[in-house]
PDB file of all heavy atoms in Angstrom:
ATOM      1  N   THR A 107       7.797   9.665  11.894  1.00 97.00           N
ATOM      2  CA  THR A 107       6.538   9.892  12.603  1.00 97.00           C
ATOM      3  C   THR A 107       6.619   9.305  14.007  1.00 97.00           C
ATOM      4  O   THR A 107       7.048   8.161  14.182  1.00 97.00           O
ATOM      5  CB  THR A 107       5.361   9.246  11.835  1.00 97.00           C
ATOM      6  OG1 THR A 107       5.363   9.735  10.499  1.00 97.00           O
ATOM      7  CG2 THR A 107       4.034   9.564  12.491  1.00 97.00           C
ATOM      8  N   TRP A 108       6.212  10.096  14.977  1.00 97.00           N
ATOM      9  CA  TRP A 108       6.117   9.669  16.372  1.00 97.00           C
ATOM     10  C   TRP A 108       4.695   9.179  16.576  1.00 97.00           C
ATOM     11  O   TRP A 108       3.732   9.928  16.372  1.00 97.00           O
ATOM     12  CB  TRP A 108       6.429  10.865  17.264  1.00 97.00           C
ATOM     13  CG  TRP A 108       6.308  10.689  18.741  1.00 97.00           C
ATOM     14  CD1 TRP A 108       5.410  11.327  19.555  1.00 97.00           C
ATOM     15  CD2 TRP A 108       7.115   9.895  19.602  1.00 97.00           C
ATOM     16  NE1 TRP A 108       5.610  10.954  20.856  1.00 97.00           N
ATOM     17  CE2 TRP A 108       6.655  10.082  20.919  1.00 97.00           C
ATOM     18  CE3 TRP A 108       8.182   9.028  19.392  1.00 97.00           C
ATOM     19  CZ2 TRP A 108       7.218   9.434  22.009  1.00 97.00           C
ATOM     20  CZ3 TRP A 108       8.741   8.387  20.483  1.00 97.00           C
ATOM     21  CH2 TRP A 108       8.272   8.592  21.770  1.00 97.00           C
ATOM     22  N   VAL A 109       4.517   7.905  16.934  1.00 97.00           N
ATOM     23  CA  VAL A 109       3.200   7.300  17.086  1.00 97.00           C
ATOM     24  C   VAL A 109       2.995   6.966  18.562  1.00 97.00           C
ATOM     25  O   VAL A 109       3.811   6.262  19.156  1.00 97.00           O
ATOM     26  CB  VAL A 109       3.058   6.018  16.227  1.00 97.00           C
ATOM     27  CG1 VAL A 109       1.635   5.491  16.282  1.00 97.00           C
ATOM     28  CG2 VAL A 109       3.489   6.276  14.786  1.00 97.00           C
ATOM     29  N   GLN A 110       1.898   7.475  19.128  1.00 97.00           N
ATOM     30  CA  GLN A 110       1.615   7.257  20.549  1.00 97.00           C
ATOM     31  C   GLN A 110       0.266   6.559  20.704  1.00 97.00           C
ATOM     32  O   GLN A 110      -0.660   6.774  19.911  1.00 97.00           O
ATOM     33  CB  GLN A 110       1.573   8.595  21.281  1.00 97.00           C
ATOM     34  CG  GLN A 110       2.906   9.312  21.251  1.00 97.00           C
ATOM     35  CD  GLN A 110       2.777  10.732  21.754  1.00 97.00           C
ATOM     36  OE1 GLN A 110       2.243  11.578  21.066  1.00 97.00           O
ATOM     37  NE2 GLN A 110       3.264  10.962  22.963  1.00 97.00           N
ATOM     38  N   PHE A 111       0.184   5.737  21.742  1.00 96.00           N
ATOM     39  CA  PHE A 111      -1.022   4.976  22.048  1.00 96.00           C
ATOM     40  C   PHE A 111      -1.339   5.135  23.531  1.00 96.00           C
ATOM     41  O   PHE A 111      -0.429   5.309  24.336  1.00 96.00           O
ATOM     42  CB  PHE A 111      -0.803   3.484  21.759  1.00 96.00           C
ATOM     43  CG  PHE A 111      -0.290   3.196  20.387  1.00 96.00           C
ATOM     44  CD1 PHE A 111       1.066   3.064  20.154  1.00 96.00           C
ATOM     45  CD2 PHE A 111      -1.159   3.065  19.313  1.00 96.00           C
ATOM     46  CE1 PHE A 111       1.556   2.797  18.880  1.00 96.00           C
ATOM     47  CE2 PHE A 111      -0.684   2.802  18.042  1.00 96.00           C
ATOM     48  CZ  PHE A 111       0.675   2.663  17.827  1.00 96.00           C
ATOM     49  N   PRO A 112      -2.601   5.023  23.922  1.00 96.00           N
ATOM     50  CA  PRO A 112      -2.920   5.147  25.344  1.00 96.00           C
ATOM     51  C   PRO A 112      -2.489   3.928  26.171  1.00 96.00           C
ATOM     52  O   PRO A 112      -2.227   4.055  27.361  1.00 96.00           O
ATOM     53  CB  PRO A 112      -4.438   5.305  25.377  1.00 96.00           C
ATOM     54  CG  PRO A 112      -4.917   4.722  24.093  1.00 96.00           C
ATOM     55  CD  PRO A 112      -3.806   4.914  23.102  1.00 96.00           C
ATOM     56  N   LYS A 113      -2.374   2.753  25.537  1.00 91.00           N
ATOM     57  CA  LYS A 113      -2.102   1.537  26.303  1.00 91.00           C
ATOM     58  C   LYS A 113      -0.804   0.832  25.912  1.00 91.00           C
ATOM     59  O   LYS A 113      -0.430  -0.144  26.546  1.00 91.00           O
ATOM     60  CB  LYS A 113      -3.265   0.554  26.145  1.00 91.00           C
ATOM     61  CG  LYS A 113      -4.570   1.101  26.688  1.00 91.00           C
ATOM     62  CD  LYS A 113      -5.702   0.137  26.498  1.00 91.00           C
ATOM     63  CE  LYS A 113      -6.991   0.745  27.024  1.00 91.00           C
ATOM     64  NZ  LYS A 113      -8.137  -0.118  26.865  1.00 91.00           N
ATOM     65  N   TRP A 114      -0.130   1.275  24.857  1.00 92.00           N
ATOM     66  CA  TRP A 114       1.098   0.630  24.400  1.00 92.00           C
ATOM     67  C   TRP A 114       2.222   1.636  24.414  1.00 92.00           C
ATOM     68  O   TRP A 114       2.004   2.844  24.484  1.00 92.00           O
ATOM     69  CB  TRP A 114       0.952   0.094  22.983  1.00 92.00           C
ATOM     70  CG  TRP A 114      -0.235  -0.769  22.725  1.00 92.00           C
ATOM     71  CD1 TRP A 114      -0.812  -1.677  23.568  1.00 92.00           C
ATOM     72  CD2 TRP A 114      -1.008  -0.807  21.524  1.00 92.00           C
ATOM     73  NE1 TRP A 114      -1.878  -2.275  22.962  1.00 92.00           N
ATOM     74  CE2 TRP A 114      -2.025  -1.759  21.703  1.00 92.00           C
ATOM     75  CE3 TRP A 114      -0.932  -0.145  20.305  1.00 92.00           C
ATOM     76  CZ2 TRP A 114      -2.959  -2.071  20.721  1.00 92.00           C
ATOM     77  CZ3 TRP A 114      -1.861  -0.444  19.331  1.00 92.00           C
ATOM     78  CH2 TRP A 114      -2.852  -1.395  19.544  1.00 92.00           C
ATOM     79  N   GLN A 115       3.438   1.136  24.270  1.00 95.00           N
ATOM     80  CA  GLN A 115       4.575   2.055  24.195  1.00 95.00           C
ATOM     81  C   GLN A 115       4.552   2.819  22.882  1.00 95.00           C
ATOM     82  O   GLN A 115       3.967   2.374  21.892  1.00 95.00           O
ATOM     83  CB  GLN A 115       5.881   1.295  24.337  1.00 95.00           C
ATOM     84  CG  GLN A 115       6.273   0.472  23.132  1.00 95.00           C
ATOM     85  CD  GLN A 115       7.642  -0.144  23.289  1.00 95.00           C
ATOM     86  OE1 GLN A 115       8.414   0.234  24.149  1.00 95.00           O
ATOM     87  NE2 GLN A 115       7.956  -1.121  22.455  1.00 95.00           N
ATOM     88  N   SER A 116       5.172   3.967  22.880  1.00 97.00           N
ATOM     89  CA  SER A 116       5.256   4.789  21.673  1.00 97.00           C
ATOM     90  C   SER A 116       6.191   4.139  20.670  1.00 97.00           C
ATOM     91  O   SER A 116       7.027   3.302  21.013  1.00 97.00           O
ATOM     92  CB  SER A 116       5.763   6.182  22.024  1.00 97.00           C
ATOM     93  OG  SER A 116       4.847   6.820  22.880  1.00 97.00           O
ATOM     94  N   ILE A 117       6.040   4.552  19.424  1.00 97.00           N
ATOM     95  CA  ILE A 117       6.846   4.011  18.326  1.00 97.00           C
ATOM     96  C   ILE A 117       7.358   5.169  17.482  1.00 97.00           C
ATOM     97  O   ILE A 117       6.641   6.145  17.267  1.00 97.00           O
ATOM     98  CB  ILE A 117       5.989   3.081  17.443  1.00 97.00           C
ATOM     99  CG1 ILE A 117       5.564   1.838  18.224  1.00 97.00           C
ATOM    100  CG2 ILE A 117       6.724   2.684  16.169  1.00 97.00           C
ATOM    101  CD1 ILE A 117       4.538   0.973  17.499  1.00 97.00           C
ATOM    102  N   VAL A 118       8.586   5.044  17.002  1.00 98.00           N
ATOM    103  CA  VAL A 118       9.112   5.982  16.025  1.00 98.00           C
ATOM    104  C   VAL A 118       9.144   5.240  14.693  1.00 98.00           C
ATOM    105  O   VAL A 118       9.815   4.215  14.560  1.00 98.00           O
ATOM    106  CB  VAL A 118      10.534   6.473  16.393  1.00 98.00           C
ATOM    107  CG1 VAL A 118      11.068   7.400  15.306  1.00 98.00           C
ATOM    108  CG2 VAL A 118      10.524   7.164  17.743  1.00 98.00           C
ATOM    109  N   ALA A 119       8.383   5.746  13.720  1.00 97.00           N
ATOM    110  CA  ALA A 119       8.314   5.126  12.395  1.00 97.00           C
ATOM    111  C   ALA A 119       9.181   5.941  11.440  1.00 97.00           C
ATOM    112  O   ALA A 119       8.958   7.135  11.264  1.00 97.00           O
ATOM    113  CB  ALA A 119       6.877   5.081  11.897  1.00 97.00           C
ATOM    114  N   VAL A 120      10.167   5.282  10.853  1.00 97.00           N
ATOM    115  CA  VAL A 120      11.074   5.945   9.916  1.00 97.00           C
ATOM    116  C   VAL A 120      10.852   5.326   8.543  1.00 97.00           C
ATOM    117  O   VAL A 120      10.969   4.111   8.368  1.00 97.00           O
ATOM    118  CB  VAL A 120      12.554   5.784  10.342  1.00 97.00           C
ATOM    119  CG1 VAL A 120      13.484   6.456   9.337  1.00 97.00           C
ATOM    120  CG2 VAL A 120      12.773   6.338  11.740  1.00 97.00           C
ATOM    121  N   GLU A 121      10.517   6.173   7.583  1.00 96.00           N
ATOM    122  CA  GLU A 121      10.331   5.723   6.200  1.00 96.00           C
ATOM    123  C   GLU A 121      11.549   6.163   5.404  1.00 96.00           C
ATOM    124  O   GLU A 121      11.933   7.333   5.458  1.00 96.00           O
ATOM    125  CB  GLU A 121       9.071   6.344   5.619  1.00 96.00           C
ATOM    126  CG  GLU A 121       8.755   5.870   4.227  1.00 96.00           C
ATOM    127  CD  GLU A 121       7.496   6.536   3.682  1.00 96.00           C
ATOM    128  OE1 GLU A 121       6.590   6.841   4.454  1.00 96.00           O
ATOM    129  OE2 GLU A 121       7.438   6.749   2.462  1.00 96.00           O
ATOM    130  N   ILE A 122      12.139   5.218   4.690  1.00 96.00           N
ATOM    131  CA  ILE A 122      13.336   5.542   3.904  1.00 96.00           C
ATOM    132  C   ILE A 122      13.190   5.038   2.474  1.00 96.00           C
ATOM    133  O   ILE A 122      12.471   4.076   2.214  1.00 96.00           O
ATOM    134  CB  ILE A 122      14.617   4.945   4.524  1.00 96.00           C
ATOM    135  CG1 ILE A 122      14.546   3.424   4.567  1.00 96.00           C
ATOM    136  CG2 ILE A 122      14.875   5.498   5.903  1.00 96.00           C
ATOM    137  CD1 ILE A 122      15.876   2.764   4.623  1.00 96.00           C
TER     138      ILE A 122
END
Side-chain angles (χ1 to χ4, degrees):
T107 306
W108 176 245
V109 186
Q110 297 170 286
F111 307 94
K113 298 179 181 179
W114 309 324
Q115 73 174 345
S116 297
I117 294 171
V118 177
V120 179
E121 184 181 328
I122 62 157

